[in-house]
Amino acid sequence: MRADPHGLFPSLRGYRRQWLGRDALAGMTVWAVLVPEALAYATIAGVSPVVGLYAAPAALILYAVFGSSRHLVVGPMAATAALSASIVAEAAGGSDAHFAALTAALAFTVGIAALLAGLLRLGFLASFISEPVLKGFIVGLALTIIAGQLPKLLGVEGGSGNFFEKIWALIEDLGGTSGFTVLVGVGSLALILVLKRVAPGVPGSLIAVALGIAVAAAFDLEDHGVDVVGGIAAGLPSFGFPDVSVGDLGALAAGSVGVTLVAFAEGLGAAKNYAARDHYEVDANRELIGLGAAGLGAGLSSGMVVNGSLSKTAVNWSAGARTQLSGILVAALTVITLLFLTGLFEQLPEAVLAGVVIAAVVELVDLHSLVSLYRVFTRRLGQAYGVAARPDFLASVAAMLGVMVFDTLPGLFIGIGASLLLLLYRSSRPVISELGQLPGNGHFAALDRHSESRRIPGVIVLRVEAGIYFANAERIRSEAREAATREGVTAVVIDAETVPFVDVSAVRMLDSLAEELEDLGVRLLLARDVGQVRDVLRTAEARTELRRVYPTVRSAVEAARTGT
């Protein structure tokens, strides 16, 4: 079945009755994971745990209406919950009076931003967050979240601020650790992690929550100094626009763009991953519209920011889901939970919720990926780019440290900025290889990579491994001029096969270089240009000899040696 990328409920087109059982099983499995995680992620966002449940039903249904993935599950997530807490705290100016309303308003503004981006077909914006930047961002965010949850796990006051300030405050407060709280919290965390390892199909978070509630009720843990969630209003949330002013919306607007980028990048990655596994396609712009609709639904339901979840989507896919009917069933089960089961969670120890959060985000501390990025290095890259020879690793670490030191949203933009700066730096220092001719077949190869290649007497062949434009034109001129001044050189051939583009500044540089070399009695020839390079050389009115591009390096070398 191929999902219709247009219309409503695209994943349900051509539905088959035999899929119903698998979708139902997947829906119940995802619900068992979503409920405890939604409660926990709401605490990260700084609001009542029930707000996480409020956000889910409308978001799940509206994504099913507009989204293009059959398997993606939307709901509260750790990364966007932490972003939400940071942005709302700043907008609230230290006042807790309408923190929940601002949280719902942020979900609404993120929904508007995503919806507009989708309608304007701005899905390509996700590419501005590279995978290494997103990886570093998530690692830093996960570490910061864990640092914020450890005080609840240990029953101490803790502190605020960045990652390092939270850890220092925790160390100072360790003397006041509550034994019962540690037992409940660490026990819950251990249970979830063990079940995840030995029985990954079992909803460990739900079991830990159920046991935590039972133990708290049986042994009156609240009387022994264990903090519990407390009163939760039963029933459905109030529907309507959050009780905020236009000024509040303005204060949230800038932050909502950053949240949208993170939410979209994370959700699109999950959607594409499972679409590839099941051999169908998702549409980036349609995903933005689906995310936007889900955000609007969450905001109008007194909820919080939502986005696609990789972990819950994995559960959905592994449980056999075929369509978004599984997500619709999760929404229905969540409504039932809100109507009849919220009272059960009032005795839930906060240490158990902290354990659920830590268990959910600890797997995101993927230090192995950072090590793998560091290992992407060769001596030749080091010689060419110096400190920028590991751009993905540096951008990833910049994002991670940015989050840990400067908070979530600044950390994201620090990572993006570092990635773009490194890209510009590397493009301004292109690899320029000198080529020699291989014996036997006559092909040309880099002298430093192929020891058997030999220079052509009197002719220097240079290969520029990048586009030539204003930022690197002078470096290329310098390299070519240096080569031309060697003893006995009569021609310099530039192999343009690996030059994908040139700009007008590059054409002017080549013209000027040709004149300089001509004064030295050296010719400048071009070989193997691609279509764009040829078009620019012609329309920018390059010198006649530069517009005559030779089809092969060998023909250019022969022309240089014979003077034709």
Side-chain angles (χ1 to χ4, degrees), residues 153-180:
L153 195 75
L154 303 177
V156 297
E157 184 68 24
S160 58
N162 63 36
F163 169 82
F164 300 100
E165 291 169 338
K166 289 176 180 177
I167 292 297
W168 182 251
L170 176 66
I171 293 172
E172 291 183 327
D173 290 345
L174 282 178
T177 300
S178 164
F180 283 106

Side-chain angles (χ1 to χ4, degrees), residues 179-472:
F180 283 106
T181 303
V182 171
L183 186 63
V184 172
V186 175
S188 299
L189 175 60
L191 174 65
I192 297 168
L193 294 178
V194 169
L195 286 176
K196 188 176 293 187
R197 186 174 184 84
V198 302
V202 175
S205 296
L206 187 64
I207 291 174
V209 167
L211 285 176
I213 293 170
V215 169
F219 296 98
D220 294 322
L221 290 183
E222 190 174 6
D223 293 338
H224 292 84
V226 177
D227 293 331
V228 297
V229 169
I232 297 177
L236 298 178
S238 58
F239 295 94
F241 193 80
D243 184 19
V244 295
S245 67
V246 174
D248 289 330
L249 293 177
L252 298 172
S256 66
V257 175
V259 178
T260 302
L261 269 175
V262 173
F264 178 50
E266 190 174 355
L268 183 63
K272 283 186 173 181
N273 183 30
Y274 288 95
R277 296 188 184 198
D278 214 34
H279 310 294
Y280 68 95
E281 294 182 1
V282 294
D283 179 81
N285 295 305
R286 183 87 190 208
E287 286 303 293
L288 273 171
I289 292 173
L291 172 66
L296 292 179
L300 295 174
S301 304
S302 305
M304 56 183 286
V305 174
V306 295
N307 63 281
S309 163
L310 180 58
S311 59
K312 286 187 277 294
T313 302
V315 170
N316 196 35
W317 185 82
S318 62
R322 296 303 304 267
T323 69
Q324 281 293 329
L325 187 62
S326 64
I328 295 172
L329 178 59
V330 175
L333 291 172
T334 305
V335 169
I336 292 172
T337 304
L338 285 167
L339 288 173
F340 304 110
L341 303 179
T342 52
L344 296 176
F345 297 105
E346 294 180 357
Q347 289 297 310
L348 175 63
E350 289 192 356
V352 174
L353 271 184
V356 172
V357 172
I358 293 173
V361 302
V362 72
E363 64 186 28
L364 300 178
V365 185
D366 190 0
L367 299 180
H368 175 73
S369 290
L370 298 184
V371 173
S372 298
L373 292 174
Y374 181 82
R375 289 174 177 167
V376 180
F377 177 82
T378 65
R379 180 181 57 82
R380 196 164 184 264
L381 287 171
Q383 291 173 342
Y385 300 118
V387 295
R390 294 183 174 93
D392 293 324
F393 172 75
L394 292 176
S396 185
V397 170
M400 181 183 72
L401 293 178
V403 170
M404 295 172 71
V405 175
F406 298 107
D407 212 347
T408 47
L409 202 56
L412 173 64
F413 288 111
I414 286 171
I416 294 173
S419 180
L420 293 176
L421 284 174
L422 287 164
L423 174 64
L424 290 173
Y425 177 78
R426 284 166 63 92
S427 68
S428 71
R429 296 172 58 88
V431 173
I432 303 173
S433 302
E434 184 176 349
L435 308 184
Q437 193 167 28
L438 294 170
N441 59 25
H443 293 165
F444 285 79
L447 292 170
D448 61 346
R449 289 182 178 271
H450 299 269
S451 58
E452 67 274 22
S453 60
R454 295 291 179 265
R455 288 186 174 92
I456 303 298
V459 180
I460 299 294
V461 181
L462 300 177
R463 181 175 63 204
V464 181
E465 299 179 7
I468 307 177
Y469 70 116
F470 63 91
N472 62 21

Side-chain angles (χ1 to χ4, degrees), residues 60-145:
L60 287 161
I61 293 171
L62 288 171
Y63 178 82
V65 174
F66 296 103
S68 63
S69 170
R70 299 181 208 160
H71 298 99
L72 187 70
V73 177
V74 296
M77 285 297 296
T80 47
L83 281 168
S84 174
S86 172
I87 294 165
V88 170
E90 186 173 343
S95 170
D96 296 332
H98 62 308
F99 200 98
L102 285 171
T103 298
L106 180 63
F108 183 86
T109 57
V110 168
I112 290 291
L115 193 60
L116 288 175
L119 293 174
L120 293 173
R121 306 190 65 80
L122 299 181
F124 67 90
L125 289 175
S127 61
F128 283 92
I129 306 180
S130 68
E131 183 178 340
V133 167
L134 189 60
K135 176 65 68 176
F137 170 78
I138 289 175
V139 169
L141 193 58
L143 289 171
T144 303
I145 290 170

Side-chain angles (χ1 to χ4, degrees), residues 491 523 525 548 550 553-564:
R523 293 179 64 192
L525 300 92
R548 181 188 177 187
Y550 294 87
V553 173
R554 185 187 300 180
S555 62
V557 170
E558 287 299 320
R561 298 182 69 180
T562 60
T564 57

Side-chain angles (χ1 to χ4, degrees), residues 26-49:
M28 289 186 285
T29 306
V30 172
W31 169 79
V33 175
L34 181 142
V35 168
E37 289 192 354
L39 294 170
Y41 294 150
T43 65
I44 295 176
V47 291
S48 170

